[in-house]
Amino acid sequence: MSRITNVEVFPVAVPFARRFVLGSGAVGAPGAAPDQAAAVIFVKLTTADGVAGWGEQRALPSWSYETAETMAVVIRRHLAPILLELTPYDVELFHQRAAKRLSPAVSNGFPFARAAVDIAMHDAAGKLAGVPVHALLGGKLHDEIPLCSAIGVGDPDTVREHAKQSAAYSAYKVKIGGDLNADTAAIETVADVAGAKPLWLDANQSYRPAALKQLRERTAHVRTIHCVEQPVPSTDTLAMQRVRGLIDLPIAIDEGSFSAQDLARAIRLDAADLVVVKICKSGGLRNALKTAQTALAGGLEILASGLTDCGVAFAAALHVFSQLELALPAELNGPELLTELYVDGLTITRSPMAVATVPTAPGLGVEVDEERIRAESIDLRYR
């Protein structure tokens, strides 16, 4: 089999088309100075046969602990030596050796960096085999993935305008930030625009249980709220358990569940009704599917999400989520929030409703704009 012979890392400060704020902080805004710590890390693996596999992950320190600097160092200094001993098909062996070199501690270790590499391995493996990535994973169940619009924290006028512009989406994910008055206004505003479409509230760890109960009381008249995601800090699983007893909405776990083992603990503690599956926090495609299978075995429903993926990781998510039955449309917000993607070959339609077509060409099924990535690569000055 064709061995991996070269590993390249390209940090790129990808520009945003609109301002986007989470409960844990700002993600990006149009015209903002590039935030090197939150850059996207692109990875290119090249095999002895000359086949290239591409991976990608965004660093978002306000959401998880990895920065662009740490991701670049981890991949170049610690993961590349492992990769140069393997083929693109050796995904499980890669993760086993990576876990020995970089201890996973309580959860998984450096999952964003590993996810970028994992995606590139799957892309190369699919190209070598001449099949799409979903075929490597067992085949797809769905040809298209319905999409959910992500509405960031903001004033009512901004929120309303964004919701109106997202009329083609079949669900809305509403970011809330811990301010009872502002969050109540945002929820009511989106509900007014959305009509019968479901609302998926995401607090990004910004609430205390008692305050969340107050928010629920204020918004009890909004009948389309489907669930509340990660209202309390990720480390406080017992608070998640308490929240389930305080409000009458399903609770989704996200930042509190990076691995299948994390989710198993949450299930044992009755701390969640749903789990948000993300490739980035799982450390790769198969690990994301392991979390999904753990959820199904534990009676939890599955939500799908990304982290403002700009093409490569977006395509990887489509391959994974094409195998799953999702509780709501997938919140893969890169095409909605970024100025443009760094790939060709994706099909995203918005009429009558927003859906993304699962690629069928070999590998991830997209053509990466390597020239642009190389031209826009930045020096992180981590040495």
Side-chain angles (χ1 to χ4, degrees):
M1 291 188 185
S2 185
R3 301 184 77 83
I4 297 168
T5 57
N6 193 36
V7 180
E8 296 176 89
V9 179
F10 306 100
V12 177
V14 175
F16 276 73
R18 66 166 75 241
R19 186 171 182 266
F20 191 54
V21 180
L22 314 179
S24 55
V27 177
D35 182 356
Q36 293 192 358
V40 173
I41 298 294
F42 290 95
V43 176
K44 181 184 180 184
L45 307 182
T46 306
T47 71
D49 294 340
V51 171
W54 283 88
E56 167 221 321
Q57 283 303 319
R58 172 179 296 281
L60 193 57
S62 64
W63 196 89
S64 182
Y65 62 88
E66 289 175 87
T67 68
E69 294 91 343
T70 63
M71 289 171 66
V73 170
V74 165
I75 295 170
R76 287 169 172 159
R77 297 185 182 176
H78 300 284
L79 301 184
I82 297 172
L83 290 166
L84 295 176
E85 300 174 354
L86 304 175
T87 76
Y89 296 103
D90 297 320
V91 177
E92 294 295 339
L93 186 56
F94 161 72
H95 283 293
Q96 182 189 65
R97 292 181 178 178
K100 287 183 177 179
R101 184 158 183 150
L102 301 167
S103 174
V106 176
S107 185
N108 50 7
F110 296 97
F112 284 49
R114 287 167 62 178
V117 170
D118 179 286
I119 291 170
M121 294 180 76
H122 279 87
D123 186 31
K127 290 173 180 175
L128 285 167
V131 299
V133 165
H134 61 73
L136 297 177
L137 301 174
K140 59 185 170 69
L141 300 176
H142 307 285
D143 295 324
E144 295 180 331
I145 307 295
L147 299 177
C148 171
S149 177
I151 310 294
V153 173
D155 62 81
D157 289 341
T158 301
V159 167
R160 181 178 295 277
E161 183 59 27
H162 188 171
K164 287 181 177 179
Q165 292 175 6
S166 300
Y169 291 80
S170 51
Y172 291 86
K173 185 173 187 179
V174 184
K175 297 291 186 178
I176 54 178
D179 183 317
L180 282 171
N181 293 330
D183 292 341
T184 300
I187 293 166
E188 292 176 338
T189 297
V190 177
D192 182 54
V193 174
K197 295 177 184 177
L199 306 187
W200 165 3
L201 307 185
D202 185 6
N204 289 113
Q205 311 180 66
S206 62
Y207 266 85
R208 294 173 291 104
L212 186 67
K213 182 179 180 182
Q214 289 181 276
L215 179 68
R216 177 53 183 158
E217 290 169 349
R218 293 188 183 194
T219 59
H221 60 286
V222 179
R223 309 303 297 175
T224 52
I225 300 176
H226 188 275
C227 62
V228 182
E229 177 187 332
Q230 198 64 54
V232 298
S234 61
T235 54
D236 200 346
T237 308
L238 294 179
M240 290 282 285
Q241 182 189 62
R242 290 196 299 275
V243 163
R244 290 187 70 222
L246 286 175
I247 68 172
D248 61 347
L249 289 172
I251 301 299
I253 190 168
D254 183 14
E255 292 96 321
S257 174
F258 269 50
S259 66
Q261 291 84 356
D262 291 340
L263 183 58
R265 287 193 293 270
I267 292 172
R268 183 67 178 268
L269 292 170
D270 291 325
D273 301 287
L274 308 96
V275 62
V276 180
V277 175
K278 285 187 174 86
I279 292 174
C280 58
K281 66 175 182 175
S282 302
L285 281 69
R286 286 179 171 85
N287 286 339
L289 289 173
K290 289 175 184 177
T291 294
Q293 293 304 319
T294 301
L296 295 176
L300 273 65
E301 293 185 272
I302 297 169
L303 297 170
S305 186
L307 212 62
T308 52
D309 304 320
C310 51
V312 177
F314 183 92
L318 296 180
H319 287 283
V320 168
F321 297 139
S322 72
Q323 297 194 311
L324 303 175
E325 301 296 340
L326 304 177
L328 289 174
E331 190 247 336
L332 299 172
N333 56 38
E336 184 182 12
L337 298 175
L338 302 175
T339 55
E340 55 186 305
L341 304 182
Y342 283 60
V343 302
D344 289 322
L346 286 173
T347 301
I348 303 169
T349 59
R350 291 178 172 82
S351 180
M353 300 302 291
V355 298
T357 301
V358 181
T360 56
L364 292 174
V366 294
E367 184 178 342
V368 176
D369 190 345
E370 180 173 353
E371 183 178 347
R372 181 180 180 187
I373 289 172
R374 287 184 180 277
E376 297 183 6
S377 181
I378 59 177
D379 182 4
L380 295 175
R381 298 184 177 88
Y382 63 87
R383 291 183 177 86

